[in-house]
Amino acid sequence: MATFRTLSTGDVIRVAIARYLKFYSHGFVDLSWLNRFCGSVPGNFSEEDVKDVELMYCLLVSAEKIGSLQFDSASTFLNQCEKFSSKYGSSVQRIVHYFTEALREKFDLETGRITSKGAKGEENMLLYPEVMVVNLKPALLACFLELPFYQATRFAGMQAIIESVAAAKRVHLIDLEIRSGAQCMLLMQALATQHEPQVELLTITAVGTTLRHEIEETGKTLAYFAKTLNLPFSFKVVMVTSLKDLNENLFELHKGEVVAIHSSITLHHMIRLPNCLESVIRVLKNTNPQVMVVTEIEANDNLLSFEDRFFEVLFYYSTFFDCMEDCMSRSDQNRMMVEELLGQAIRNIIANEGEERIVRHMKIDAWRAFFSSFGLVETELSMSSLYQAELVVKNFACGKGKYCTFEKNGESLIVGWKGSPHLSLSVWKFHQDKGREGFIHHVFGPGPLSVYKVSWDPLSTLKLGSVSVPVSVSRRSTAEKKMEGKTREDLEKSGMIDTWLGKHSLLYTGATRHPFILSIRDGTVDLSSFKTWLGQDYLFVREFAPFVASVLVKAWKESDDSYGDREVILGGLASLNDEVEWFKREASKWGVQLSSISPQKANENYCRFLEYLMSPEVGYTVAITAFWAIEAVYQESFAHCLDDGANTPRELRETCQRWGNDGFGQYCLSLKKIANRRLEKASEDARLVDASKEVLNKAEVALIRVMEHEVEFWNMSRGGS
Ligand SMILES: Cc1ncc(CN)c(N)n1
């Protein structure tokens, strides 16, 4: 990964355009339209930046000369580009290399040097994306894992589906391009851990035009995964020669099923096929889906002139190459293979016109116009989906996720790299009675972007605009289920906490069904991870005690004694003494030297968060919500290790009992009841007082933060940072 450049590739293009305008502005050609591509760029250039700018300048002039049919001078500049660009060099050299190849092909076509376009094999790859996926599977997979934006849209998109189907007993997911099926696993995991209502059947139908065998293999993997989750599951394949032949009767739909549609980077393949998109949307509408989640490439190269197309595509692919430069090493073979593939797409877009243009993309504005014409209604991505996106990118080494940017466009999310758009993620509801069918003209040119950045500063409340309408899902913990019949009155009244758990179900599952916990449950736990957890949790509990004391003080000040909150909290505080002693005994049993352990980063971060919760600016309602969440994650996690079917090693059962026993479950229920009562009061007051709205907002953030810290704590125990 290169660190000596000060300019991104986008900056290099902007500087090169500015330079180009300076030289050519006295000419006869009106170049004022290029001004819109110039933006502000940093002032200090390194030596490499200067070389990059010169190279980019040559590329711009080559394009301009070809566009204005000045082939002799175009040739001179193209020769320069060929000489100084390289597919092994910096991201600028690489992008210039591939664009030069594309311009050379255009040059040869325009000057009659060649007539047929591209090598046949390459065309096949572009025509049949599934074939490309198979041929380049390991390389694509590697890039998919290394580049944060794909993971961000996958998690956020699946969260939107989970929220939409949460109340259903029978769920049917139609996936227009299933690939490895990793996205389906997220849904399966969430449904398997959903207690109420219990899912009776999940059906996944994969749609494909080729590679039946690969799709079926994915189906087998998913079926195996479902079995491990104890999730009733059925996998179907719908194969068609062309997507135009898709028909709702091909789907085995059943009464009472809730249908959801997932389309990730698929629909744009149909843009070039007359009436194909229209026909597919009509068919999907006839399946009466609850929701459709679409991820698409946020680029516009469909109906533009050569010049406009050149710049649009240059900026789009520069972002892509920049991201790879930031996240992968220059010698990475997977990166090079994927760049080759992108090079083919660039060649196709730049050099070809009409039917020869296989690669076509549309931005969210055009998709919006298209879907709206079928009566589809764009739906806001929930806060929880946005949170999933934010959370997942944080796990990437390159920039710890801070380069992966999120902007809102309408109700949809634009995921970019350092502010340059890359993918759009949108959620659609179908209204059966609406629709002006027929594709209206594509809408080009970006509309006003209502830009916001998701902020997760513990000291701030959510800056996501209004908190989205809560999904009414009741999720009950293992202990709650066990106590069925005993405290039914309490259980049946599902409050704000359940609503939030429904909204943030993926995160809650992440915290309570973490691989560390699952490894205890299935007996494969690595003992060194267990010992790490033991030592670190001992340190955590010592910090946790003053936090519980601070909640007690707040209860004293802010709550009426008649509710009995103080006794519950005092009981929890008292038991911590015993807990600290237990840690000491357990540590000596496992040979863990507590005195020589210092807190790891994740532990320190969590303790810093506790300190914040202790501060006077955090009121009782927020503090008790966080307190419940901290205890509940352990209760739910360890109780899972004692469930029927658990294979927890005998020596670890006592540990699991500590937090998984029914008494601790009761205690968590009491805390939950207190938190729900306070939150209910706050939501009643919120109608009148803004401060109460803020309390609710803060409490929801605190709950999310706790779950996030818990995930990081488990990660740390397994040897993460
Ligand atoms: C990290 C953590 N979270 C929760 C708990 C339960 N008190 C704990 N001991 N440690």
Side-chain angles (χ1 to χ4, degrees):
M1 271 155 264
T3 52
F4 38 85
R5 298 158 66 223
T6 49
L7 299 182
S8 70
T9 308
D11 290 336
V12 168
I13 301 170
R14 279 182 278 272
V15 177
I17 292 176
R19 191 176 152 198
Y20 178 79
L21 283 175
K22 208 165 139 196
F23 280 109
Y24 285 82
S25 55
H26 329 288
F28 301 105
V29 197
D30 177 16
L31 296 169
S32 55
W33 57 277
L34 269 173
N35 271 314
R36 73 188 154 103
F37 292 108
C38 302
S40 63
V41 284
N44 296 329
F45 303 162
S46 70
E47 212 174 294
E48 178 159 351
D49 289 333
V50 173
K51 281 192 199 143
D52 281 349
V53 169
E54 278 171 19
L55 186 58
M56 187 59 75
Y57 174 78
C58 277
L59 183 76
L60 301 189
V61 181
S62 308
E64 196 272 321
K65 298 292 173 207
I66 291 177
S68 57
L69 310 179
Q70 299 175 54
F71 294 115
D72 282 348
S73 14
S75 184
T76 313
F77 282 99
L78 272 180
N79 289 343
Q80 287 296 101
C81 291
E82 276 157 0
K83 194 164 165 197
F84 293 105
S85 66
S86 158
K87 61 177 167 183
Y88 307 106
S90 68
S91 52
V92 171
Q93 286 167 348
R94 288 173 191 228
I95 202 97
V96 173
H97 168 83
Y98 289 110
F99 271 81
T100 303
E101 275 189 355
L103 287 176
R104 177 62 76 191
E105 186 166 318
K106 178 142 183 92
F107 178 94
D108 289 346
L109 280 167
E110 300 273 341
T111 52
R113 275 157 225 240
I114 55 167
T115 47
S116 64
K117 293 108 201 146
K120 261 278 154 288
E122 285 179 6
E123 252 182 27
N124 268 343
M125 291 261 250
L126 297 175
L127 274 172
Y128 300 107
E130 303 97 319
V131 177
M132 168 190 88
V133 168
V134 168
N135 286 351
L136 286 172
K137 205 169 174 181
L140 287 171
L141 205 63
C143 287
F144 193 77
L145 293 174
E146 300 281 353
L147 310 182
F149 20 67
Y150 298 114
Q151 301 291 347
T153 51
R154 183 164 96 186
F155 274 75
M158 268 301 146
Q159 175 68 24
I161 289 186
I162 290 163
E163 285 166 14
S164 291
V165 303
K169 286 189 177 168
R170 287 175 167 252
V171 177
H172 192 148
L173 179 77
I174 297 176
D175 201 311
L176 296 186
E177 204 170 334
I178 196 149
R179 302 187 184 102
S180 72
Q183 69 284 6
C184 301
M185 291 183 181
L186 297 176
L187 174 66
M188 293 165 87
Q189 215 153 10
L191 293 181
T193 49
Q194 173 178 307
H195 298 306
E196 189 71 8
Q198 271 187 354
V199 173
E200 288 169 5
L201 182 66
L202 167 68
T203 304
I204 293 183
T205 298
V207 177
T209 50
T210 50
L211 306 170
R212 176 185 271 275
H213 176 68
E214 274 72 13
I215 297 176
E216 282 170 350
E217 286 302 304
T218 297
K220 282 185 199 155
T221 311
L222 293 178
Y224 178 75
F225 188 62
K227 210 164 153 200
T228 64
L229 295 172
N230 242 341
L231 178 73
F233 178 72
S234 160
F235 186 78
K236 301 268 182 306
V237 183
V238 167
M239 291 302 286
V240 279
T241 323
S242 153
L243 283 166
K244 257 174 87 177
D245 303 334
L246 202 64
N247 161 351
E248 58 274 20
N249 298 323
L250 296 172
F251 298 110
E252 288 177 38
L253 300 172
H254 296 282
K255 226 172 144 204
E257 269 180 353
V258 170
V259 176
I261 293 162
H262 183 248
S263 168
S264 180
I265 320 190
T266 307
L267 293 180
H268 71 269
H269 297 310
M270 300 174 215
I271 298 175
R272 69 186 185 89
L273 305 169
N275 296 322
C276 185
L277 261 178
E278 288 85 339
S279 148
V280 167
I281 297 299
R282 228 171 275 136
V283 169
L284 295 178
K285 189 173 178 177
N286 289 341
T287 65
N288 196 16
Q290 181 87 356
V291 71
M292 175 169 80
V293 171
V294 178
T295 299
E296 267 308 329
I297 286 168
E298 181 64 0
N300 171 21
D301 48 48
N302 188 26
L303 294 177
L304 298 182
S305 67
F306 167 70
E307 283 87 353
D308 274 334
R309 205 162 76 216
F310 176 82
F311 281 102
E312 284 283 343
V313 176
L314 181 60
F315 274 104
Y316 175 77
Y317 283 98
S318 298
T319 305
F320 210 145
F321 277 58
D322 256 352
C323 180
M324 290 210 260
E325 178 88 342
D326 290 330
C327 297
M328 300 172 88
S329 90
R330 285 186 179 174
S331 58
D332 189 312
Q333 290 301 314
N334 293 320
R335 172 181 170 182
M336 291 208 243
M337 283 169 81
V338 169
E339 284 176 347
E340 281 277 352
L341 182 72
L342 297 178
Q344 288 170 27
I346 293 169
R347 275 231 302 275
N348 184 264
I349 300 169
I350 297 294
N352 294 283
E353 307 288 342
E355 284 189 3
E356 308 290 347
R357 276 282 305 291
I358 298 166
V359 183
R360 290 175 187 269
H361 306 109
M362 303 195 300
K363 285 190 177 176
I364 188 68
D365 320 61
W367 287 115
R368 185 175 288 130
F370 174 66
F371 291 140
S372 304
S373 74
F374 282 83
L376 273 67
V377 177
E378 191 180 5
T379 307
E380 188 184 23
L381 262 174
S382 74
M383 196 174 66
S384 197
S385 282
L386 297 171
Y387 181 71
Q388 290 299 334
E390 274 265 304
L391 187 63
V392 77
V393 300
K394 272 198 202 152
N395 289 326
F396 281 81
C398 42
K400 285 263 173 229
K402 65 177 185 288
Y403 299 145
C404 192
T405 46
F406 301 102
E407 289 179 359
K408 202 144 181 233
N409 182 316
E411 306 291 10
S412 303
L413 187 68
I414 305 296
V415 183
W417 193 248
K418 297 179 180 168
S420 299
H422 189 73
L423 294 173
S424 68
L425 175 67
S426 54
V427 179
W428 300 90
K429 299 268 178 201
F430 289 68
H431 283 237
Q432 296 303 332
D433 50 339
K434 279 197 190 168
R436 291 170 279 119
E437 281 216 14
F439 190 15
I440 37 163
H441 300 291
H442 302 205
V443 183
F444 293 111
L449 286 183
S450 59
V451 179
Y452 67 79
K453 179 90 184 80
V454 184
S455 162
W456 294 100
D457 174 359
L459 300 173
S460 73
T461 50
L462 288 177
K463 291 182 186 146
L464 290 172
S466 62
V467 175
S468 54
V469 185
V471 187
S472 173
V473 188
S474 165
R475 256 157 240 280
R476 292 180 296 146
S477 71
T478 319
E480 284 173 287
K481 275 179 79 187
K482 275 188 191 158
M483 281 176 286
E484 206 130 26
K486 290 183 194 160
T487 52
R488 188 163 276 293
E489 255 178 36
D490 293 340
L491 293 176
E492 286 196 337
K493 193 165 178 292
S494 81
M496 190 61 90
I497 297 268
D498 281 339
T499 303
W500 285 343
L501 291 188
K503 274 174 78 183
H504 307 296
S505 62
L506 212 51
L507 183 58
Y508 185 59
T509 307
T512 56
R513 297 290 183 268
H514 190 276
F516 177 72
I517 282 297
L518 297 180
S519 72
I520 293 180
R521 189 179 190 270
D522 66 18
T524 60
V525 63
D526 172 8
L527 278 187
S528 79
S529 301
F530 180 77
K531 288 184 193 174
T532 305
W533 166 79
L534 191 72
Q536 290 296 321
D537 212 39
Y538 165 73
L539 299 181
F540 176 85
V541 171
R542 289 165 61 108
E543 299 285 321
F544 183 59
F547 161 71
V548 179
S550 78
V551 183
L552 185 61
V553 173
K554 284 171 185 167
W556 229 278
K557 285 191 183 153
E558 295 181 46
S559 173
D560 187 328
D561 193 20
S562 63
Y563 288 119
D565 296 12
R566 300 169 194 180
E567 280 68 26
V568 176
I569 302 164
L570 187 58
L573 184 58
S575 70
L576 284 180
N577 189 31
D578 181 41
E579 195 161 304
V580 170
E581 292 310 312
W582 175 84
F583 270 105
K584 288 182 189 162
R585 282 198 308 279
E586 201 66 9
S588 95
K589 186 170 119 190
W590 292 99
V592 176
Q593 267 283 335
L594 291 176
S595 55
S596 60
I597 295 173
S598 40
Q600 291 191 26
K601 197 97 208 105
N603 201 353
E604 275 179 357
N605 290 344
Y606 203 169
C607 292
R608 212 172 314 131
F609 179 60
L610 291 181
E611 262 172 49
Y612 156 69
L613 292 173
M614 282 188 249
S615 65
E617 73 189 270
V618 174
Y620 177 46
T621 306
V622 176
I624 191 80
T625 305
F627 183 25
W628 166 80
I630 296 171
E631 299 289 44
V633 168
Y634 262 43
Q635 198 279 324
E636 178 81 7
S637 300
F638 286 110
H640 187 51
C641 301
L642 300 170
D643 264 352
D644 300 341
N647 211 6
T648 302
R650 207 156 28 92
E651 345 43 296
L652 301 185
R653 286 200 154 247
E654 193 192 316
T655 302
C656 301
Q657 278 291 346
R658 174 150 280 281
W659 292 277
N661 73 72
D662 285 351
F664 194 75
Q666 271 291 1
Y667 163 63
C668 288
L669 259 188
S670 308
L671 292 178
K672 185 178 181 186
K673 206 170 143 193
I674 299 173
N676 266 333
R677 190 193 78 236
R678 299 286 306 188
L679 292 167
E680 197 180 324
K681 176 86 174 59
S683 63
E684 273 163 24
D685 295 348
R687 282 180 229 129
L688 306 168
V689 197
D690 270 355
S692 296
K693 251 186 240 160
E694 197 170 315
V695 167
L696 280 179
N697 223 347
K698 272 191 167 177
E700 189 176 3
V701 179
L703 182 134
I704 291 169
R705 282 225 149 259
V706 166
M707 293 195 271
E708 181 187 8
H709 282 298
E710 290 291 345
V711 170
E712 278 167 15
F713 204 92
W714 298 131
N715 286 345
M716 168 200 71
S717 305
R718 297 183 88 215
S721 56

